[in-house]
Amino acid sequence: MTHDVRPEASAPQDQPERLSYPDPSGSRVDPEEKLAPDVDDATAEALGKLSEALETTDRARGHLYTFHQLTGHADFQLDEAVELLRAAGRDDMAELVTRELIGRDVLPGRWTFQIMEEYEDGYYGVFADVERRVRQELAGGRRHIHEARLKRRRQG
């Protein structure tokens, strides 16, 4: 999907033109609303830190997905290793790999998908819900207020 990107009103001759992007709904985002003038700086900073912590858990979640996919891929690679061991005449080693590794639980009673589900439904789900509830209570649900203010300061 491409977005129609059009320059805002012409910039002064000595400054390059900045582009304005529509939000996903197709309307323009009011920069003043994003700055949330009704939210004090200390609250905006606290919400920013809470949001940053959620983003860190998002990254951890991504690593869990990587763990899940790589572990599953390795398990399927074992099938080929068993075939190659059998072709090399090492049925005893092929049986060892089959018995001890193929389809093995990564934690007692759990495959990686179960770990993912427990993380999603437990820690991550609660974390995301609490972040949303705090943001709703303190900023009417608005996201990235601290960053919007930082952008304004850095862009002048």
Side-chain angles (χ1 to χ4, degrees):
M1 176 177 183
T2 60
H3 291 283
D4 183 21
V5 179
R6 297 180 188 184
E8 290 181 351
S10 25
Q13 295 294 355
D14 59 337
Q15 293 181 1
E17 229 172 67
R18 290 200 185 248
L19 300 177
S20 174
Y21 300 93
D23 76 8
S25 70
S27 64
R28 298 277 176 192
V29 177
D30 177 5
E32 289 304 313
E33 178 63 21
K34 196 67 171 164
L35 294 171
D38 57 319
V39 177
D40 64 83
D41 287 341
T43 300
E45 184 178 3
L47 289 170
K49 189 54 71 176
L50 183 59
S51 174
E52 182 182 7
L54 177 61
E55 291 167 4
T56 301
T57 64
D58 283 330
R59 291 179 60 207
R61 184 171 163 239
H63 288 293
L64 274 177
Y65 274 101
T66 298
F67 161 72
H68 164 64
Q69 291 174 345
L70 290 175
T71 301
H73 183 67
D75 191 65
F76 284 113
Q77 288 174 319
L78 292 173
D79 294 334
E80 187 176 354
V82 166
E83 287 177 24
L84 292 169
L85 286 166
R86 290 193 195 288
R90 296 309 310 253
D91 288 349
D92 57 334
M93 295 295 105
E95 286 304 315
L96 176 65
V97 170
T98 300
R99 183 179 63 249
E100 296 295 329
L101 293 176
I102 291 180
R104 184 178 183 91
D105 292 345
V106 294
L107 292 174
R110 290 186 188 86
W111 272 23
T112 59
F113 77 90
Q114 293 166 303
I115 296 167
M116 292 300 311
E117 288 177 355
E118 288 179 33
Y119 183 79
E120 290 273 333
D121 297 341
Y123 184 79
Y124 180 79
V126 171
F127 201 123
D129 183 58
V130 168
E131 186 275 341
R132 182 195 54 75
R133 288 170 45 201
V134 170
R135 188 171 27 85
Q136 185 63 40
E137 177 69 25
L138 299 179
R142 290 168 292 190
R143 296 176 291 167
H144 298 108
I145 296 168
H146 181 70
E147 290 87 342
R149 291 176 182 180
L150 178 62
K151 176 182 178 186
R152 174 185 249 180
R153 284 193 303 272
R154 293 189 60 84
Q155 290 183 346

